Amino acid sequence: MPAPKNSIRRSLLVTSAIVLSTALTAPAAFAAPSPSAGSSSKPSAGSSADSSATVSADPPKTPSKKPKDSKNSKGSKAAPPAKMSTVGGARLGRAGTQVNLASGVPVLPKGLSARSWIVADAESGEVLAAHNAHWELAPASTLKMLFADTLLPKWPSSTEHEVEPSDLAGIGSGSSMVGIKEDETYTVHDLWLGVFLRSGNDAVRVLAAMNGGVENTVAEMNEHAEELQALDTVVVSPDGYDAEGQVSSAYDLTLIARSGLQKKDFREYASTVRADFPGETRKNKKGKKVRESFEIQNTNRLLSGDYDIPVYQGIAGVKNGNTTEAGATFTGVAEQDGRVLLVTVMNPEKKEGNQVYKETAKLFDWGFEAAGKVDPVGELVPPRSAAQAGARPGGAGASPGEAGGTGEGALGAADGRPVASAAAGGGAGGVGTALAVTGGVLVLLAGGAFLVNRRWPLPDLVRRRPRP
């Protein structure tokens, strides 16, 4: 059986990259291009296959970031609109399931009930299959990925902040909370753990207050979404709490996750299974003030497991959500046998326990089996700045790889060997990460791989082994 065309092309490019690298007298440094600019424990109170060839996307129009007509964003709407965005390819703008089924390509899993979903290769950006990819739906706490991708570079993780009453104003009824207390001091690291693990709207509000307030934060998030070409996305509330006109799409959430995963801190928080979180300061029996702590666990059930669903082999994040308007939403990233996939699932019609994770796991299984065999139906587009710089040798400048903007190179060791990571320390978090729980390692891509994957690849990949 002849090798797939994509594999042949990739092999030739890898060979070319190796020849080029050995011919150079000095090592070249590459970095991921820089963008310019969740889950609720309780639902909030407010809140056909086509095998034709892939067609290039029409040039996207710059949207007006005003709340859209709520009639188009209601989670109760039964069918997707006839016309949707074509960013990433014309087929992604069509209603229904888009996949190129052919000899050797596995059929899609049975029992998928989500209103929208997408399976994409995180490195190449190829969309392997999709269903109503650009349907604008309420995103719930998956929107916190955009919040994190926008604000993570603002402060070093060790920055401390004493919480004022005004910081916690405006939190919606029934919101998921991590348990932040007024007049207590938290590090930025603590607050991000609260955002990613417990999907704490209280943690989001404190960070937004540190960023000049909710209104400013929402404006920055909308600006960053536009830079990422996530043009289905309109932010009204930074925490993803149901709000009039607030929408995103499976396509956009996948773009946002891919962008966030460029950042070291984002990857750490997204892959953390459990951590100690600061509690209240009390006086002990001797009258001395002591700060208590309590354990928090990630509500991403493919990462932490549950009574009816095991930890998914290779899972490394990303973010879940659940509100009245959105139903259950989830974006995940996983690696198996050197292949890294992103899957987003929005609002399964089946209301069984953990249904969003079960459908995600099915799509991951299909994607890993189909990868290298199925022709893509579209692509994840790069950010505007990366697309503009893509023609230049070496691409754009370095991305702010971690909080504080210190940056992280796209490559690993000079000889291309994997570089193992350690669990991050400091503050109350950094313990109980998936790295420690599963014994996984953090691997950096070598320069040759970066040359092959020109569509804004991940600078490094979190790899997983099944838990013992």
Side-chain angles (χ1 to χ4, degrees):
M1 177 177 177
K5 289 185 287 184
N6 288 345
S7 298
I8 294 172
R9 184 173 67 251
R10 176 166 292 193
S11 298
L12 290 173
L13 286 171
V14 170
T15 303
S16 300
I18 294 172
V19 172
L20 283 171
S21 64
T22 56
L24 297 175
T25 57
F30 295 90
S34 171
S36 64
S39 166
S40 303
S41 56
K42 302 176 183 177
S44 71
S47 48
S48 70
D50 186 336
S51 59
S52 62
T54 302
V55 182
S56 299
D58 297 328
K61 297 180 180 179
T62 302
S64 173
K65 289 295 181 180
K66 296 179 180 179
K68 299 185 179 183
D69 187 341
S70 63
K71 291 185 292 184
N72 293 329
S73 64
K74 288 291 183 184
S76 59
K77 189 177 180 182
K83 292 185 66 175
M84 294 180 283
S85 169
T86 56
V87 172
R91 289 187 62 182
L92 299 181
R94 302 178 189 174
T97 301
Q98 306 301 318
V99 63
N100 288 317
L101 294 179
S103 177
V105 177
V107 297
L108 287 167
K110 297 180 180 180
L112 298 176
S113 69
R115 296 187 173 185
S116 177
W117 54 259
I118 193 169
V119 182
D121 188 302
E123 294 179 80
S124 69
E126 293 177 344
V127 177
L128 307 185
H131 180 75
N132 300 328
H134 281 290
W135 192 0
E136 295 173 359
L137 299 167
S141 286
T142 47
L143 196 63
K144 288 183 172 78
M145 294 188 297
L146 179 60
F147 175 78
D149 193 37
T150 305
L151 267 63
L152 261 171
K154 299 271 187 175
W155 315 278
S157 60
S158 59
T159 301
E160 295 185 342
H161 177 77
E162 184 175 339
V163 176
E164 301 177 3
S166 59
D167 295 348
L168 300 174
I171 297 176
S173 173
S175 288
S176 53
M177 310 279 270
V178 68
I180 290 173
K181 303 297 182 183
E182 298 174 5
D183 303 321
E184 293 284 4
T185 298
Y186 299 85
T187 65
V188 164
H189 189 259
D190 297 330
L191 296 171
W192 283 120
L193 286 170
V195 171
F196 277 87
L197 273 67
R198 294 301 304 169
S199 202
N201 289 6
D202 48 354
V204 169
R205 291 296 171 134
V206 173
L207 287 163
M210 294 173 62
N211 190 50
V214 168
E215 184 176 348
N216 180 66
T217 298
V218 166
E220 290 186 1
M221 290 172 67
N222 280 318
E223 181 182 356
H224 188 46
E226 190 169 334
E227 154 64 16
L228 295 179
Q229 301 198 63
L231 306 183
D232 301 325
T233 299
V234 176
V235 183
V236 179
S237 178
D239 46 29
Y241 190 87
D242 289 337
E244 187 79 6
Q246 181 162 271
V247 291
S248 190
S249 66
Y251 182 87
D252 279 15
L253 292 173
T254 308
L255 276 187
I256 292 163
R258 192 179 188 216
S259 175
L261 288 165
Q262 307 296 311
K263 298 177 175 64
K264 179 180 179 181
D265 288 359
F266 189 104
R267 295 189 300 275
E268 179 213 331
Y269 297 127
S271 64
T272 299
V273 179
R274 58 180 59 83
D276 289 333
F277 192 82
E280 292 186 82
T281 300
R282 302 179 184 273
K283 288 185 178 181
N284 61 16
K285 295 180 180 179
K286 297 181 179 180
K288 184 180 178 180
K289 288 185 177 181
V290 293
R291 187 79 181 268
E292 298 177 343
S293 65
F294 55 93
E295 185 180 272
I296 57 175
Q297 188 178 59
N298 203 312
T299 54
N300 171 0
R301 297 309 181 197
L302 290 187
L303 189 68
S304 61
D306 206 355
Y307 71 96
D308 61 344
I309 189 166
V311 173
Y312 189 81
Q313 180 181 349
I315 194 71
V318 175
K319 191 71 190 75
N320 54 333
N322 197 330
T323 65
T324 301
E325 182 77 8
T329 60
F330 179 65
T331 297
V333 63
E335 183 270 348
Q336 290 182 15
D337 300 324
R339 178 86 61 175
V340 185
L341 298 182
L342 282 161
V343 171
T344 295
V345 172
M346 300 187 76
N347 198 354
E349 298 283 355
K350 293 181 182 178
K351 301 306 178 185
E352 300 174 8
N354 289 323
Q355 186 65 26
V356 72
Y357 303 110
K358 294 173 183 177
E359 296 193 17
T360 299
K362 288 181 178 181
L363 288 168
F364 269 130
D365 289 344
W366 177 87
F368 286 121
E369 186 180 355
K373 304 172 186 176
V374 65
D375 289 331
V377 295
E379 67 173 351
L380 301 177
V381 296
R384 293 188 189 280
S385 57
Q388 292 166 359
R392 295 191 306 226
S399 172
E402 53 191 291
T406 57
E408 178 187 36
L411 310 183
D415 60 3
R417 291 175 298 175
V419 181
S421 75
V431 296
T433 65
L435 299 177
V437 172
T438 68
V441 293
L442 187 66
V443 180
L444 305 182
L445 287 177
F450 182 84
L451 290 172
V452 171
N453 299 311
R454 295 180 182 274
R455 300 179 183 175
W456 205 43
L458 298 175
D460 58 37
L461 314 172
V462 182
R463 301 194 174 185
R464 294 287 177 269
R465 294 196 293 269
R467 293 203 304 181

